[in-house]
Amino acid sequence: GPTRKMSPTASAMDFFQLFVPDNVLKNMVVQTNMYAKKYQERFGSDDAWIDVTLTEMKAFLGYMISTSIHHCESVLSIWSSGFYSNKSIALIMTQSRFEKILKYFHIVAFRSSQTTHGLYKIQPFLDSLQNGFDSAFRPSQAQVLHEPLIDEDPIFIATCTERELRKRKKRKFSLWVRQCSSTGFICQIYVHLKEGSGADGLDALKNKPQLHSMVAKSLCQNASGKNYIIFTGPSITSLNLFEEFEKQEIYCCGLLSTRKSDCTGLPPSMLNNSETPQSRGQYRIRMKGNMSLICWYNKGHFRFLTNAYSPVQQGVIIKRKSGEIPCPLAVEAFAAHLSYICKYDDKYSKYFISHKPNKTWQQVFWFAISIAINNAYILYKMSEAYHVTRYSRAQFGERLVKELLGLEDTSPSH
């Protein structure tokens, strides 16, 4: 849960600023102004440009965040006279001023001579965000490593041309998270950049266990020695990785797939389906030290690798039609924690900022901001402030937009 007690009168902005405080916003102001100056020195002066202020930067973010609630096809629709226009917030800043800030917006204006990392333009922000996540929340023992569902608005997709859709699908990075499975709070973000195209590209790496092993190690670098139980999907699950994690006192439970997983070191007899027909709930177990490989049958063979649960402990999977199906406890735990994450995706994935810039660092930035707002709402729901006002996720987003735009006093209305 939360590590600090928030006031019952805490506003949406107070929760958001646990992760994106004023000093981070002030840095955005400085870097944007530096970039604008350098850009104009190189390409000619821009008489319409005036240095951006902290108030304007907050309003700029407010406009972008408003697209996560109203899902307009473009953030510029706010100033239009169409269906997605929003007259209540359009008056705070003119469209031309917004477009100028968008043109020059930067978090790191210049590459330093030592920088080789592809995400250098956003890395300081991601580091600051990670510090905020670490200091504001203590996760539960059970956590999940996965790629969160980033929802594309169906109305928007219906209005896209085929060419636009093809362009949108070519995202040059994959975003992975370590997530507390009992609250949905995202504890850590890892961005893997697509390096090169063709055979070396991200799609080619999708089935490469070494990539997913690297992702898992990066996401768990702060988790050693804490007895966490990490749930993983087939692409990450491997005997070598789980054994490595066990040395760091990180325990695992993962679904295994003969097609997607690295099956090195696992007994072939457990990876082949038995020819004799099996009844639902039957399972076989092979053990090596603390590690157990479970092959469980339920309308098909499911394999699990775990060192977090005893294979002899019993559990049940409850199905609406067929009632209770017996299974090892590891299978029950995996199903339960996976269902928590599905609920999180259903509830929060539709609140991702729908602005889609061309630059990769900007795409990552807006995804990270969306995750920060979802995390802020989770902390809000666990605080006394929620018992005072009880905002839904959409209402919380609207309050945050208004507070960033300076339209409302930050103290909540009773």
Side-chain angles (χ1 to χ4, degrees), residues 95 101 154 185 252 322 339 364 391:
Q95 181 178 339
I101 298 171
F185 189 95
C252 303
S322 44
S339 72
V364 174
Y391 293 133

Side-chain angles (χ1 to χ4, degrees), residues 155-394:
I155 300 168
F156 187 27
I157 288 214
T159 61
C160 269
T161 64
E162 212 168 299
R163 186 165 170 268
E164 280 176 317
L165 271 179
R166 275 202 307 275
K167 269 172 70 182
R168 288 162 72 82
K169 280 176 183 167
K170 289 179 183 172
R171 196 180 291 148
K172 293 181 181 174
F173 62 93
S174 60
L175 184 76
W176 295 76
V177 298
R178 175 164 59 86
Q179 190 168 13
C180 167
S181 61
S182 54
T183 58
F185 189 95
I186 287 176
C187 312
Q188 195 162 348
I189 300 171
Y190 176 78
V191 180
H192 176 75
L193 277 184
K194 177 181 183 177
E195 278 138 7
S197 55
D200 303 325
L202 185 64
D203 293 330
L205 285 169
K206 278 281 185 195
N207 299 321
K208 288 191 178 176
Q210 64 267 33
L211 164 69
H212 295 111
S213 167
M214 180 192 76
V215 167
K217 287 173 192 170
S218 301
L219 284 171
C220 294
Q221 58 192 7
N222 302 330
S224 58
K226 296 180 181 174
N227 285 317
Y228 287 152
I229 297 174
I230 304 290
F231 292 88
T232 62
S235 58
I236 292 177
T237 302
S238 83
L239 181 62
N240 293 338
L241 180 69
F242 284 13
E243 286 178 336
E244 201 175 315
F245 275 167
E246 192 173 353
K247 290 172 190 164
Q248 301 171 34
E249 293 177 41
I250 301 170
Y251 301 94
C252 303
C253 179
L255 184 62
L256 197 72
S257 155
T258 48
R259 197 166 48 88
K260 292 183 180 176
S261 306
D262 176 7
C263 296
T264 311
L266 297 173
S269 61
M270 291 291 283
L271 302 176
N272 300 323
N273 297 338
S274 60
E275 290 176 17
T276 54
Q278 290 182 289
S279 57
R280 293 176 78 174
Q282 276 191 309
Y283 57 90
R284 294 179 291 147
I285 297 166
R286 286 286 294 274
M287 290 187 72
K288 177 190 173 187
N290 291 332
M291 199 73 65
S292 49
L293 174 57
I294 301 164
C295 181
W296 176 68
Y297 185 81
N298 177 27
K299 290 188 178 175
H301 291 87
F302 294 90
R303 293 172 182 84
F304 296 86
L305 190 65
T306 182
N307 55 5
Y309 296 93
S310 161
V312 294
Q313 278 188 290
Q314 291 295 308
V316 286
I317 299 274
I318 299 171
K319 296 281 184 187
R320 224 176 294 168
K321 289 182 181 174
S322 44
E324 294 184 355
I325 304 163
C327 65
L329 185 62
V331 179
E332 183 189 333
F334 185 90
H337 291 289
L338 211 63
S339 72
Y340 290 147
I341 296 309
C342 291
K343 282 177 190 167
Y344 174 91
D345 281 345
D346 290 347
K347 186 171 183 181
Y348 293 108
S349 66
K350 58 177 170 285
Y351 294 110
F352 275 77
I353 290 167
S354 58
H355 172 67
K356 299 290 184 288
N358 290 329
K359 292 186 174 71
T360 298
W361 74 264
Q362 289 185 6
Q363 291 172 14
V364 174
F365 175 75
W366 296 119
F367 285 142
I369 287 281
S370 303
I371 287 171
I373 299 167
N374 285 341
N375 275 356
Y377 180 68
I378 288 166
L379 289 189
Y380 160 73
K381 281 197 79 173
M382 299 168 87
S383 73
E384 289 179 17
Y386 181 68
H387 299 293
V388 176
T389 47
R390 289 191 176 270
Y391 293 133
S392 67
R393 174 62 185 82

